[in-house]
Structures are given as C-alpha cells and as structure tokens.
Amino acid sequence: ASDGYTAYKLAQQQFMLQNMDFNLFQVIGLTNNDPVSTEYRWLKQTIERLNRTFKFSYQITNGYGSGEGSNTHVALFVAYYNFLRPHSYTYWQPLNFIPELESIPNMPGKWQKLIELSQQLILSKQVS
C-alpha cells in the first residue's frame, strides 16, 4: 500500500522488467472514499510510520559521501528495524525472533551477535 505518488507505479514497472512482480495498492487521501482505501489504509499508515522512523535515522547522518554509504545505512536500518527494534504491536519484541539474541542484555551485544550470525551465514553459503 502506498499513497498516490506517481513514482510508485514507475517503480513497479521497473521491477516487473526484472521479473519481480508485486501488487501496488494506492490509498488516496485521508478518508476511505473507495474500497481500496478502506481495505488498505492500515497498511499505508504502517508504511508511513516506517518512513518517519527511517527519516529520523537518516537526519542525523547529514547526508552521505557516497552511494556505498547510503547503501550501508539502509542495510543497517533494515537489520535494526526487523531484528532488533522492539515494536509496540509485537508486545515490545522485534518483528523477527532470533533465539541467539534472547539472552544478550544490551543493544551493542545484540548488534555484535547479529553481525557474527550474518558472517557465519555468508561463509556457509560460500562453501556450498
């Protein structure tokens, strides 16, 4: 679900050229005046909250000196949002549970373990 910004349709077309097809539901306006808006407004609100959270993390960077810097920031943000950040709608647990992080008491330790687990996965895929 997204708002009515026309770039989303263009992005959908570009993804389709790479055989990555997905449905795009555009929720227009602030009220539910059509069936699509009625059904998908909650998703738009969730995505807008994600965008605000990302914007907050981006503002402190003062921009990036390279494309690699922005790619790294996005990768780290996605890891944090999906595997470390507590969410109210999951009763203050991360969206994705990783048992190895359960007993670690602080965020720096959780980051270190997450990076270690990622490295182990990369190395196991290289051997295969």
Side-chain angles (χ1 to χ4, degrees):
S2 72
D3 57 22
Y5 187 47
T6 55
Y8 298 127
K9 289 269 191 196
L10 178 60
Q12 182 185 33
Q13 290 173 348
Q14 293 302 308
F15 276 100
M16 289 173 84
L17 292 173
Q18 301 298 318
N19 295 319
M20 292 184 272
D21 193 17
F22 60 89
N23 294 325
L24 175 63
F25 301 102
Q26 292 190 297
V27 178
I28 310 298
L30 299 175
T31 57
N32 295 333
N33 295 331
D34 60 87
V36 171
S37 293
T38 301
E39 184 173 353
Y40 294 102
R41 177 153 318 274
W42 71 275
L43 287 170
K44 178 186 173 193
Q45 291 168 333
T46 301
I47 292 166
E48 290 299 327
R49 177 67 182 116
L50 170 65
N51 289 341
R52 285 191 306 275
T53 303
F54 180 77
K55 182 180 177 183
F56 177 76
S57 76
Y58 171 80
Q59 285 176 331
I60 61 173
T61 67
N62 295 318
Y64 302 104
S66 68
E68 184 178 330
S70 61
N71 289 342
T72 300
H73 179 247
V74 169
L76 291 172
F77 176 82
V78 169
Y80 168 71
Y81 192 86
N82 287 314
F83 300 103
L84 298 172
R85 181 181 187 269
H87 295 267
S88 61
Y89 48 88
T90 57
Y91 302 101
W92 302 108
Q93 297 297 315
L95 294 176
N96 297 284
F97 178 73
I98 299 175
E100 293 88 345
L101 301 180
E102 180 79 18
S103 63
I104 300 173
N106 57 47
M107 193 58 75
K110 289 179 187 284
W111 268 111
Q112 186 175 14
K113 187 64 174 177
L114 186 62
I115 292 167
E116 178 187 332
L117 292 170
S118 300
Q119 183 65 26
Q120 288 173 0
L121 179 64
I122 290 168
L123 292 173
S124 74
K125 299 255 183 213
Q126 289 176 346
V127 172
S128 299

